[in-house]
Amino acid sequence: MLGRSVGAVCAVPLLALALAGCLGSRGSAGSGDEPSSRASATGYGAVFLAADECSSRGRASFNEVPCRSERAVARVLARHDGETSEGPACPARTDFVLHISENRPAADENGDGSVDRGYACMRNLDAPHPGDPGGGGGPRTIVGDCLTEAGKGQVRETACAATGGRAPRYRVVTAVLSRSACPPSTTLYVTLGGSRPVGCAVTV
């Protein structure tokens, strides 16, 4: 990230009448501004940072390296072309997203000297894992994550351990198809996206 800033999550109190102006995060509903960074293509293989490949992490760039290398720090869980706002959501336990801009004339198909942009969903090889439930980060909000208030009608993901930052006010306990399927203890609905787009959160 890698300053991992966690953006606002659209959420609606249980008694609210309407969900107004709530949008999920780019590419995956739920956690607002994605923890992310950018990478320029320097590596090997037909696709830069393809699924299951690994990267090193420098001050200003990420490079593709063998996963057994001492320099490897993160593995690609999924790799997609285009922008995150238009493509598939990253897997639930993604720690951060790399926005990739390639410039590889040898791989160019139309002669303009560039390859389409894309993004890689990354997971750290070692802890910490902010994308894990309760970790307080990652590009998606998932079951087990905690939230804190962030203004009228919004909440932000925060670490359930509450070590620094704002203390958690809610925890997402289950994901369902519709609000009516949430348990009676639900105090907040959270937009998660995916096949079960409604998160049922309770006060902690």
Side-chain angles (χ1 to χ4, degrees):
M1 211 167 330
L2 268 275
R4 291 187 175 89
S5 60
V6 182
V9 180
C10 286
V12 179
L14 184 60
L15 299 179
L17 296 178
L19 177 63
C22 280
L23 299 175
S25 66
R26 298 183 299 272
S28 61
S31 62
D33 295 334
E34 294 176 353
S36 63
S37 189
R38 293 193 174 273
S40 296
T42 55
Y44 55 89
V47 177
F48 175 62
L49 287 180
D52 291 326
E53 291 180 344
C54 293
S55 77
S56 64
R57 178 182 298 161
R59 290 185 177 181
S61 65
F62 288 72
N63 295 319
E64 186 177 306
V65 296
C67 289
R68 294 183 179 180
S69 168
E70 292 182 356
R71 298 172 57 210
V73 297
R75 183 184 298 272
V76 181
L77 298 181
R79 172 75 154 82
H80 304 292
D81 293 332
E83 300 292 334
T84 53
S85 59
E86 302 169 351
C90 283
R93 297 199 176 202
T94 299
D95 286 329
F96 64 97
V97 177
L98 277 181
H99 297 273
I100 299 167
S101 177
E102 300 192 51
N103 188 0
R104 299 168 63 193
D108 185 22
E109 294 180 356
N110 59 15
D112 65 359
S114 66
V115 178
D116 290 342
R117 293 182 179 181
Y119 58 99
C121 309
M122 310 294 294
R123 182 167 173 85
N124 297 326
L125 295 179
D126 299 312
H129 293 291
D132 281 354
R140 298 182 58 183
T141 296
I142 60 177
V143 173
D145 279 341
C146 289
L147 310 166
T148 188
E149 293 180 350
K152 187 176 181 180
Q154 291 188 325
V155 292
R156 289 180 185 272
E157 189 177 331
T158 190
C160 292
T163 55
R166 296 185 178 183
R169 294 290 305 276
Y170 309 95
R171 183 193 293 268
V172 181
V173 294
T174 189
V176 296
L177 293 175
S178 64
R179 296 183 191 178
S180 61
C182 284
S185 58
T186 301
T187 55
L188 195 75
Y189 299 115
V190 183
T191 303
L192 301 181
S195 60
R196 295 179 179 270
V198 178
C200 312
V202 299
T203 303
V204 297

